[in-house]
């Protein structure tokens, strides 16, 4: 047996790098476990961690050993318990993974290796191969631009950043602080000298000579104080502050008409919850606008979008008109990239579906980077689907998918927002 001893000095907080190394090594098994976990939980619970189990055989460490090599002859002893032709009874169970009653077997087994991954790690694996399409075209990246901003003064810097007035002010304050006591004594000594000269005209008076000597010493001390010292130099300090270079807005359109029963609304809500979670996770500089519609459209907040019980007929064009108005009013700047996700059962007035196609082709599609339409129905495609098919044939950044049951939500979502081939 060969023992390898690692004598490298281990730094502090080494558990974090070790954990990251472990997650990278068993990435495949963890992704499989995350996929299984998705099937067993609701979408509203997607933002929590997960307990992952990996088979023991997959985490075994390699061992070094010596090979015999060559040709070996060995003699194995017999046994006193079994003879040729004896039948061995089947084990009745044991510890570990065995089923049935507990046995008295001395054989042991190991359970799967189980550990907990955090919310951040779970979402990293869940959204690993997803992204908002066409982001490269508008340069919406995860990086942030920075701009220089003044932030006081520093004692170090380049000659070009030297602040002369601040340096001179500091030098003056230093000279006053260092020579203050000597200046006061000099002023008092000069007053005493003037009084003595008024009393006597003898310049050889010992008192006059002593004061003149003190005055000379004080003036010499004050002149020795440098006008400016390297300690006084102050430089303009500038720091970099984040400045968003581009921004994106995601519009969520939900059909709440009478034909959308509770099951369909629930599927639509789950799809938007998943989308909203994805946007919050993937991109920080994204605003989300919620629009719900029946015969009329209304911009609402997140709570009302998911929980309001208002219903009515179906005029999809009302939502598209409101969408156009919001984009032109609030997000018309070139700094904004607009994305739209629409969920409906496709049941719309025939004449209105044609209007929807015209609004998309002439107004909305030129203003957005990506438009995803999800039709929730377990039957044949409705009239809105037929009109939208014509839009898809002419616009490459228009995508549409069909959801029949809750199990289709995640596959459709991944298909709509999968990473684009470079």
């Amino acid at each position: 047996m060969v023992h390898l001893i690692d004598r490298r000095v281990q730094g502090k907080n080494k558990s974090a790098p070790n954990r990251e190394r472990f997650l990278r090594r068993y990435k495949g098994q963890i992704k499989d476990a995350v996929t299984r976990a998705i099937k067993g939980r609701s979408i509203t619970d997607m933002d929590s961690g997960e307990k992952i189990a990996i088979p023991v055989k997959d985490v075994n460490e390699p061992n070094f050993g010596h090979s015999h090599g060559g040709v070996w002859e060995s003699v194995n002893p017999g046994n006193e318990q079994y003879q040729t032709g004896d039948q061995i009874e089947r084990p009745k169970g044991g510890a570990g993974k065995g089923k049935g009653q507990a046995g008295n077997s001395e054989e042991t087994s190991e359970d799967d290796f189980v550990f907990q991954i955090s919310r951040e790690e779970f979402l990293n694996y869940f959204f690993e191969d997803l992204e908002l399409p066409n982001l490269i075209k508008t340069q919406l990246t995860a990086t942030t631009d920075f701009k220089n901003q003044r932030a006081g003064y520093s004692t170090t810097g380049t000659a070009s950043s030297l602040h002369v007035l601040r340096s001179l002010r500091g030098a003056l304050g230093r000279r006053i602080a260092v020579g203050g006591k000597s200046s006061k004594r000099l002023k008092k000594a000069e007053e005493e000298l003037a009084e003595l000269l008024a009393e006597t005209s003898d310049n050889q008076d010992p008192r006059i000579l002593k004061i003149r000597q003190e005055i000379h010493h004080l003036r010499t001390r004050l002149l020795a104080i440098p006008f400016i010292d390297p300690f006084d130099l102050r430089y303009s300090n500038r720091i970099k502050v984040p400045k968003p270079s581009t921004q994106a807005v995601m519009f969520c359109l939900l059909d709440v008409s009478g034909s959308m029963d509770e099951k369909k609304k629930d599927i639509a809500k789950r799809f938007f919850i998943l989308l909203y979670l994805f946007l919050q996770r993937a991109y920080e500089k994204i605003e989300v606008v919620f629009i719900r519609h029946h015969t009329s459209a209304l911009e609402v907040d997140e709570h009302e979008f998911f929980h309001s019980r208002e219903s009515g007929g179906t005029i999809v064009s009302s939502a598209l008109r409101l969408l156009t108005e919001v984009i032109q009013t609030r997000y018309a700047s070139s700094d904004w990239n607009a994305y739209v996700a629409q969920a409906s059962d496709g049941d719309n007035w025939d004449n209105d579906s044609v209007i929807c196609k015209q609004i998309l082709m002439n107004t909305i599609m030129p203003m957005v980077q990506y438009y995803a339409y999800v039709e929730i129905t377990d039957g044949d495609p409705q009239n809105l689907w037929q009109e939208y098919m014509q839009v898809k044939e002419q616009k490459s950044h228009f995508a549409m998918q069909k959801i029949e049951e809750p199990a289709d939500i995640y596959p459709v979502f991944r298909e709509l927002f999968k990473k684009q081939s470079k």
Side-chain angles (χ1 to χ4, degrees):
M1 177 66 68
V2 176
H3 298 278
L4 299 181
I5 302 176
D6 186 358
R7 298 188 182 276
R8 293 175 295 182
V9 178
Q10 296 288 348
K12 297 181 179 179
N13 302 323
K14 64 180 180 180
S15 59
N18 291 342
R19 181 180 178 83
E20 294 177 0
R21 191 181 303 112
F22 177 84
L23 295 178
R24 289 196 305 268
R25 179 175 180 181
Y26 300 104
K27 182 177 181 180
Q29 292 92 327
I30 296 176
K31 289 191 66 174
D32 293 340
V34 169
T35 303
R36 294 192 299 269
I38 294 170
K39 298 178 181 179
R41 59 164 60 178
S42 63
I43 293 178
T44 55
D45 295 331
M46 297 283 287
D47 59 346
S48 59
E50 180 63 29
K51 184 174 293 185
I52 302 298
I54 299 179
V56 177
K57 62 182 182 63
D58 292 339
V59 296
N60 286 338
E61 297 291 340
N63 295 321
F64 290 92
H66 291 286
S67 175
H68 288 291
V71 178
W72 289 73
E73 294 184 359
S74 61
V75 178
N76 298 319
N79 65 85
E80 299 178 353
Q81 184 177 359
Y82 301 106
Q83 300 294 329
T84 303
D86 288 348
Q87 294 183 355
I88 303 176
E89 296 182 359
R90 176 178 297 178
K92 297 181 180 180
K97 299 178 182 179
K99 297 181 180 180
Q101 301 295 327
N104 57 1
S105 173
E106 296 181 358
E107 297 182 1
T108 60
S109 61
E110 297 184 54
D111 294 332
D112 291 343
F113 178 72
V114 180
F115 66 100
Q116 183 79 19
I117 60 175
S118 65
R119 172 184 181 272
E120 294 297 321
E121 293 167 341
F122 179 84
L123 294 178
N124 281 335
Y125 288 107
F126 182 76
F127 293 122
E128 183 177 25
D129 53 351
L130 301 181
E131 67 175 2
L132 286 178
N134 301 329
L135 290 183
I136 299 301
K137 296 181 181 179
T138 54
Q139 299 179 354
L140 177 62
T141 61
T143 59
T144 304
D145 292 339
F146 293 87
K147 66 175 181 179
N148 289 326
Q149 178 175 305
R150 292 187 59 181
Y153 306 95
S154 64
T155 57
T156 58
T158 60
S160 60
S161 62
L162 177 66
H163 198 283
V164 179
L165 292 180
R166 182 65 179 81
S167 301
L168 292 177
R169 188 185 308 163
L172 177 61
R174 176 186 53 80
R175 294 198 304 271
I176 293 176
V178 174
K181 186 175 181 180
S182 299
S183 297
K184 292 180 180 180
R185 178 56 189 154
L186 176 62
K187 183 178 181 180
K188 185 177 181 180
E190 290 175 344
E191 293 175 353
E192 292 177 358
L193 178 62
E195 293 176 356
L196 289 175
L197 291 176
E199 295 177 359
T200 179
S201 59
D202 185 7
N203 293 330
Q204 300 299 322
D205 190 321
R207 293 178 300 171
I208 295 178
L209 294 175
K210 182 178 179 181
I211 291 179
R212 283 180 173 174
Q213 183 178 3
E214 183 180 4
I215 291 174
H216 176 73
H217 175 72
L218 292 173
R219 287 178 176 174
T220 302
R221 174 179 292 183
L222 291 174
L223 290 175
I225 300 176
F227 179 78
I228 192 167
D229 190 85
F231 176 81
D232 305 323
L233 299 181
R234 292 296 182 270
Y235 302 87
S236 297
N237 185 32
R238 294 184 177 273
I239 60 175
K240 292 184 176 181
V241 295
K243 177 185 178 181
S245 58
T246 55
Q247 304 173 85
V249 55
M250 189 77 184
F251 292 91
C252 298
L253 277 60
L254 175 62
D255 183 0
V256 294
S257 61
S259 58
M260 288 282 289
D261 55 22
E262 289 301 320
K263 179 181 179 182
K264 293 179 180 179
K265 290 181 181 179
D266 181 68
I267 292 177
K269 291 176 183 178
R270 287 172 178 264
F271 176 80
F272 282 117
I273 289 173
L274 183 61
L275 174 60
Y276 189 48
L277 177 61
F278 169 59
L279 295 179
Q280 285 186 318
R281 172 62 187 169
Y283 305 102
E284 295 181 357
K285 299 186 291 293
I286 285 189
E287 292 189 10
V288 181
V289 178
F290 299 99
I291 297 178
R292 62 197 315 269
H293 70 90
H294 39 83
T295 54
S296 61
L298 182 66
E299 181 181 350
V300 297
D301 57 19
E302 179 185 355
H303 182 270
E304 187 176 356
F305 182 81
F306 289 126
H307 300 97
S308 177
R309 296 182 177 275
E310 182 183 0
S311 184
T314 308
I315 301 181
V316 179
S317 61
S318 62
L320 300 184
R321 288 193 176 93
L322 179 58
L323 168 64
T324 303
E325 179 183 349
V326 173
I327 294 178
Q328 294 176 345
T329 304
R330 304 198 323 244
Y331 304 102
S333 172
S334 58
D335 294 335
W336 289 96
N337 302 301
Y339 293 82
V340 184
Q342 179 184 0
S344 173
D345 63 347
D347 187 10
N348 190 28
W349 290 0
D350 292 339
N351 295 336
D352 189 65
S353 296
V354 177
I355 297 176
C356 292
K357 181 189 69 174
Q358 295 173 352
I359 296 176
L360 283 173
M361 295 290 295
N362 301 329
T363 307
I364 295 180
M365 296 310 298
M367 295 190 301
V368 302
Q369 288 300 118
Y370 191 69
Y371 196 110
Y373 171 66
V374 176
E375 185 162 300
I376 307 172
T377 178
D378 54 359
D380 297 331
Q382 302 298 314
N383 52 10
L384 187 62
W385 178 278
Q386 304 299 333
E387 298 296 333
Y388 276 8
M389 281 295 296
Q390 301 179 33
V391 180
K392 181 181 179 182
E393 293 173 356
Q394 302 182 41
K395 302 295 182 179
S396 59
H397 57 297
F398 185 92
M400 49 194 304
Q401 291 288 330
K402 181 180 177 183
I403 296 179
E404 297 183 357
E405 55 184 356
D408 299 332
I409 296 176
Y410 184 62
V412 166
F413 180 82
R414 295 186 69 89
E415 182 64 26
L416 291 174
F417 294 96
K418 64 183 179 181
K419 286 188 176 181
Q420 306 295 306
S421 58
K422 301 299 187 283

